[in-house]
Amino acid sequence: MTSIKNSVILITGADGGIGTALVEECIRQGAKKIYATGLRIENLDQAFSKYENVISVELDVTDQVKIKECAAQCADTNLLINNAGVEFKVPFMAERSNEAALLEMKVNYIGLIDMINAFVPNLEKLDHAGIVNVLSLGALAIVKRLGTYCASKSAAHVLTETIREELGEKGIKVMATYIGYVDTSMVPEETKTEKSTPQNIAKGICKGIDHNESHIYPDQTTQDYIKLHPINTVFYE
């Protein structure tokens, strides 16, 4: 079973918000080593230089060459947390919405595909291997002002549900966490819905990992939603 304690963990998008909180929470819970990845190595070094067991790795999840280099450098990773994401707050019927949609898909969906494909050959050789895709309530419900973002997260949800059985046969646990509004720069200050702190989200995600949950709901907004709209994936051959 996958757990935080004693795991070697790679976290994408660790240079801010939930990613930074996840690194710090995993340290508190006894992770053996953490690869903290992000776009700017200087930001990572500044955030985590005080931790001996955190290694900064510069990574752009839209760059396949960098992803392959990262997989080679971090081959002892047994828990991959795909947290990197972007949100442009662009509705479909807006100027240049196609550009926003394309980049959101590249980061939030295609980036997951490339990261998973690069790391699976490593993960299947290791004990207690797992993948956690950090998704959003927007993967399950439509937020009108976030149309292109919801589409990318919905695609990531389908990806996660599709690979769970196949990778389970390889000994890799596949999990997804669905997050509501979080008090970060991605969420407007005027948002009236209750916002969770990144630290509480990180605690909820780690708790779900340790409880071996396929679907993790780390905040009250998502928990309330899922009670009314439980995930019920149907597969056809």
Side-chain angles (χ1 to χ4, degrees), residues 79-226:
L79 179 58
L80 171 64
I81 302 181
N82 288 311
N83 168 72
V86 293
E87 174 193 299
F88 293 119
K89 302 177 179 64
V90 176
F92 284 112
M93 305 307 296
E95 186 179 358
R96 303 178 74 175
S97 63
N98 60 330
E99 295 178 14
L102 180 59
L103 186 50
E104 285 169 331
M105 278 290 182
K106 283 182 175 180
V107 175
N108 300 344
Y109 174 53
I110 303 299
L112 263 65
I113 294 175
D114 289 339
M115 286 292 295
I116 291 167
N117 277 305
F119 275 84
V120 161
N122 299 336
L123 292 170
E124 62 184 344
K125 299 174 186 175
L126 301 172
D127 296 328
H128 312 297
I131 296 170
V132 181
N133 291 334
V134 179
L135 306 183
S136 163
L137 186 56
L140 307 174
I142 297 171
V143 183
K144 291 181 180 179
R145 61 183 174 83
L146 302 177
T148 59
Y149 171 78
C150 291
S152 68
K153 288 296 186 178
S154 295
H157 165 70
V158 172
L159 162 67
T160 307
E161 294 294 284
T162 303
I163 65 174
R164 181 173 287 115
E165 181 179 357
E166 178 182 354
L167 294 189
E169 293 173 355
K170 297 177 181 289
I172 303 169
K173 175 71 176 180
V174 175
M175 295 165 268
T177 180
Y178 300 85
I179 298 170
Y181 289 109
V182 185
D183 191 11
T184 68
S185 59
M186 291 180 69
V187 178
E189 292 183 5
E190 63 270 18
T191 299
K192 296 180 180 179
T193 306
E194 180 181 353
K195 292 182 282 188
S196 301
T197 66
Q199 290 74 25
N200 284 339
I201 292 294
K203 289 177 182 177
I205 292 172
C206 290
K207 181 179 178 181
I209 293 169
D210 284 341
H211 287 182
N212 204 38
E213 297 173 3
S214 295
H215 304 96
I216 302 169
Y217 311 116
D219 62 87
Q220 193 61 52
T221 299
T222 309
Q223 290 169 17
D224 291 343
Y225 176 86
I226 213 68

